[in-house]
């Protein structure tokens, strides 16, 4: 029985011709989303390469949404070493709520 990915990439048993697809992602930077996708496709995600607390939070939200458990602890550890500023304070509070299940 064909899987969803088979339907996406194959038609009548033949591979589809590659074509450009544009995806609009809201509330995530392009860099963070690309790092996340690269990780899903086998590239190691180096948490230390996330340059700001905002990027760490964005990545954690993606990891939570798609249940990528192997990254959660590393991201949480990275967050503990970041300075919280007033620009990202509410995002940190929201993240604490998500992590605590409230």
């Amino acid at each position: 029985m064909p899987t969803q990915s088979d339907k996406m990439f194959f038609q009548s048993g033949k591979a589809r011709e590659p074509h450009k697809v544009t995806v609009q992602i809201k509330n995530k930077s392009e860099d963070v989303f690309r790092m996340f996708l690269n990780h899903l496709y086998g590239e190691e995600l180096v948490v230390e390469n996330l340059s700001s607390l905002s990027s760490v939070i964005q990545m954690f939200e993606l990891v939570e949404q798609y249940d990528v458990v192997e990254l959660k602890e590393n991201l949480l550890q990275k967050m503990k070493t970041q300075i919280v500023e007033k620009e990202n304070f509410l995002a940190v509070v929201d993240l604490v709520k998500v992590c605590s299940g409230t």
Side-chain angles (χ1 to χ4, degrees), residues 6 16 18-19 23 32-33 45 47 60 67 88 90 94 100:
D6 290 337
R16 290 186 181 180
H19 61 280
V23 178
V32 169
F33 192 71
L45 181 106
V47 173
F60 190 85
D67 199 28
N88 55 25
L90 290 177
D94 289 340
S100 66

Side-chain angles (χ1 to χ4, degrees), residues 27-28 32 47 50 52-66 71-84 87-102:
N27 302 322
K28 306 290 181 275
V32 169
V47 173
L50 295 166
S52 66
L53 182 56
S54 175
S55 63
V56 175
I57 290 170
Q58 289 177 46
M59 185 63 73
F60 190 85
E61 290 170 341
L62 287 166
V63 163
E64 277 287 299
Q65 182 176 354
Y66 295 99
L71 293 177
K72 287 182 184 180
E73 188 59 37
N74 290 343
L75 289 166
L76 287 171
Q77 291 302 320
K78 174 77 173 177
M79 278 186 247
K80 289 178 183 179
T81 66
Q82 300 294 301
I83 296 173
V84 177
E87 290 83 18
N88 55 25
F89 178 76
L90 290 177
V92 172
V93 170
D94 289 340
L95 189 59
V96 168
K97 288 178 183 178
V98 167
C99 292
S100 66
T102 58

Side-chain angles (χ1 to χ4, degrees), residues 10-65:
F10 299 98
Q11 194 170 34
S12 304
K14 296 180 182 179
R16 290 186 181 180
E17 291 297 317
H19 61 280
K20 187 174 182 175
V21 176
T22 302
V23 178
Q24 184 178 13
I25 304 298
K26 296 180 180 181
N27 302 322
K28 306 290 181 275
S29 74
E30 181 179 343
D31 290 341
V32 169
F33 192 71
R34 281 187 189 275
M35 288 176 74
F36 179 73
L37 282 181
N38 289 338
H39 177 74
L40 291 181
Y41 284 98
E43 188 176 304
E44 181 181 358
L45 181 106
V46 181
V47 173
E48 289 74 29
N49 290 347
L50 295 166
S51 58
S52 66
L53 182 56
S54 175
S55 63
V56 175
I57 290 170
Q58 289 177 46
M59 185 63 73
F60 190 85
E61 290 170 341
L62 287 166
V63 163
E64 277 287 299
Q65 182 176 354

